[in-house]
Amino acid sequence: MTRNRVINSLSYLSILFLPVLFPLIVWALTGDNPEVHRPAGQAFWIQLLPTIMGVCFLIALAVSGFYMDNLAHSGWLAIVLLAVLALIALGSYLYALVRGIQYLVSE
């Protein structure tokens, strides 16, 4: 039980030292242990979310750049999308830290 808590906590706290890769390895290797498999999968997706959103925003900015006549409008769109991405990344980072600490202190 204690080992599961530590592995679950490390899956979330790996955002500090090995983001995305550590939860993916734990998730792939613990298919038979649902107490570790599920939190590792959640940590993986939480850590991957800002990257997915960044790629989507980059594609949206590229597509809008083709259709906008004024470069200033495209610049404002880039600033807004970057601000939204920063908020999503910060939220994901803080959520992973809180969940990692919760797993460590839970009994």
Side-chain angles (χ1 to χ4, degrees), residues 44-66:
F44 170 71
W45 287 109
I46 287 295
Q47 294 176 12
L48 194 64
L49 178 68
T51 305
I52 294 170
M53 295 301 293
V55 170
C56 291
F57 287 166
L58 187 63
I59 291 170
L61 186 62
V63 169
S64 69
F66 288 125

Side-chain angles (χ1 to χ4, degrees), residues 92-105:
S92 173
Y93 186 80
L94 291 176
Y95 179 77
L97 288 178
V98 168
R99 288 296 292 166
I101 293 169
Q102 282 177 343
Y103 272 112
L104 276 180
V105 299

Side-chain angles (χ1 to χ4, degrees), residues 1 4 7 23 26 32 38 49-50 54 64 72 74 76 85 89 92 96-97 103 106-107:
M1 181 60 113
N4 289 345
I7 292 174
V26 172
D32 58 340
R38 182 172 297 220
L49 178 68
S64 69
S74 183
W76 280 108
L85 180 62
S92 173
L97 288 178
Y103 272 112
S106 69
E107 293 185 24

Side-chain angles (χ1 to χ4, degrees), residues 11-87:
S11 291
Y12 281 103
L13 293 177
S14 69
I15 199 164
L16 298 172
F17 59 89
L18 198 59
V20 178
L21 190 59
F22 184 79
L24 179 63
I25 292 170
V26 172
W27 189 47
L29 295 178
T30 59
D32 58 340
N33 188 355
E35 292 178 5
V36 177
H37 187 73
R38 182 172 297 220
Q42 290 172 349
F44 170 71
W45 287 109
I46 287 295
Q47 294 176 12
L48 194 64
L49 178 68
T51 305
I52 294 170
M53 295 301 293
V55 170
C56 291
F57 287 166
L58 187 63
I59 291 170
L61 186 62
V63 169
S64 69
F66 288 125
Y67 295 109
M68 286 189 181
D69 295 332
N70 191 353
L71 189 60
H73 295 300
S74 183
W76 280 108
L77 180 64
I79 290 171
V80 169
L81 290 178
L82 187 61
V84 170
L85 180 62
L87 288 174

